[in-house]
């Protein structure tokens, strides 16, 4: 497992990141978690993405999870298997899981995780944003602001290397 960086953003969200992948967690209200996954998840973060949900599960179960995967380019098989097992094990503590991806490959991957986790319709996978966005709005929760908005900037920043020098 590579080095995992955990940072709190100005908007209160938490970002877990490695060299190739990041998970950002927004909690618009108790019991609702919005996750945005970016990059290629090769398992560098280990169980940290699942562990980040532990307090939500212990305090607010059953919780609703909204996962935006528009910017994920892939996830290796051990990562898929880990999420399959996690969804299966925590099924009683999940009210619903909504996944948005516009990639047909990632849509298929999410459907495979759904099938093998034996969660039935607990997990819903969307290719279009409108039905995905209706879920939190209907429950009085707002989705996080668009990428690039000032509120998405980290409070703690990674050290920057001078141009032409690799990052530490």
């Amino acid at each position: 497992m590579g080095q995992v960086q955990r940072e709190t953003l100005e908007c209160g969200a938490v970002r877990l990141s490695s060299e190739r992948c990041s998970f950002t967690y927004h909690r618009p209200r108790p019991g609702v978690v919005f996750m945005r996954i970016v990059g290629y998840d090769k398992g560098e973060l280990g169980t940290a993405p699942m562990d980040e949900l532990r307090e939500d599960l212990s305090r607010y179960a059953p919780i609703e999870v909204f996962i935006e995967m528009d910017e994920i380019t892939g996830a290796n098989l051990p990562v898929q298997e880990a999420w399959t097992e996690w969804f299966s094990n925590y099924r009683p503590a999940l009210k619903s899981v909504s996944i948005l991806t516009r990639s047909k490959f990632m849509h298929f991957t999410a459907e495979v995780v759904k099938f093998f986790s034996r969660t039935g319709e607990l997990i819903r996978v969307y290719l279009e944003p409108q039905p995905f966005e209706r879920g939190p709005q209907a429950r009085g929760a707002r989705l996080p602001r668009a990428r690039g908005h000032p509120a998405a900037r980290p409070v703690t920043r990674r050290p920057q290397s001078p141009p032409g020098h690799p990052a530490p």
Side-chain angles (χ1 to χ4, degrees), residues 2-99:
Q3 184 175 356
V4 177
Q5 179 161 349
R6 186 179 193 280
E7 56 190 343
T8 302
L9 307 180
E10 290 177 9
C11 62
V14 171
R15 181 178 298 142
L16 302 176
S17 57
S18 68
E19 186 178 325
R20 293 180 185 90
C21 182
S22 71
F23 283 68
T24 304
Y25 298 80
H26 297 267
R27 293 168 170 93
R29 67 180 179 84
V32 176
V33 180
F34 177 87
M35 296 168 49
R36 177 177 284 132
I37 308 170
V38 177
Y40 192 95
D41 190 351
K42 292 187 174 186
E44 294 171 331
L45 297 171
T47 61
M50 295 155 213
D51 295 343
E52 183 64 32
L53 296 168
R54 186 177 299 138
E55 186 174 338
D56 297 285
L57 292 168
S58 67
R59 293 180 70 191
Y60 305 114
I63 66 170
E64 295 177 272
V65 181
F66 296 87
I67 305 171
E68 183 185 324
M69 299 190 332
D70 272 358
E71 293 183 70
I72 191 169
T73 54
N76 69 13
L77 188 56
V79 169
Q80 295 171 36
E81 290 170 345
W83 278 108
T84 299
E85 182 179 358
W86 188 89
F87 285 126
S88 181
N89 290 342
Y90 287 95
R91 181 175 191 213
L94 298 169
K95 184 174 184 179
S96 67
V97 177
S98 298
I99 301 172

Side-chain angles (χ1 to χ4, degrees), residues 78-168:
V79 169
Q80 295 171 36
E81 290 170 345
W83 278 108
T84 299
E85 182 179 358
W86 188 89
F87 285 126
S88 181
N89 290 342
Y90 287 95
R91 181 175 191 213
L94 298 169
K95 184 174 184 179
S96 67
V97 177
S98 298
I99 301 172
L100 172 65
T101 181
R102 295 187 194 170
S103 157
K104 294 203 180 196
F105 171 73
M106 290 309 300
H107 184 269
F108 177 76
T109 300
E111 289 289 352
V112 168
V113 167
K114 172 184 173 177
F115 178 78
F116 285 107
S117 67
R118 301 188 191 300
T119 52
E121 290 306 307
L122 175 80
I123 298 176
R124 295 187 182 251
V125 185
Y126 300 96
L127 283 167
E128 297 295 326
Q130 291 80 13
F132 174 80
E133 292 169 353
R134 272 189 228 120
Q137 291 169 354
R139 291 159 187 78
R142 291 179 38 179
L143 290 176
R145 297 180 175 118
R147 293 176 299 277
H149 187 278
R153 291 189 198 125
V155 173
T156 54
R157 305 201 195 290
R158 293 182 191 200
Q160 297 285 325
S161 298
H165 292 82

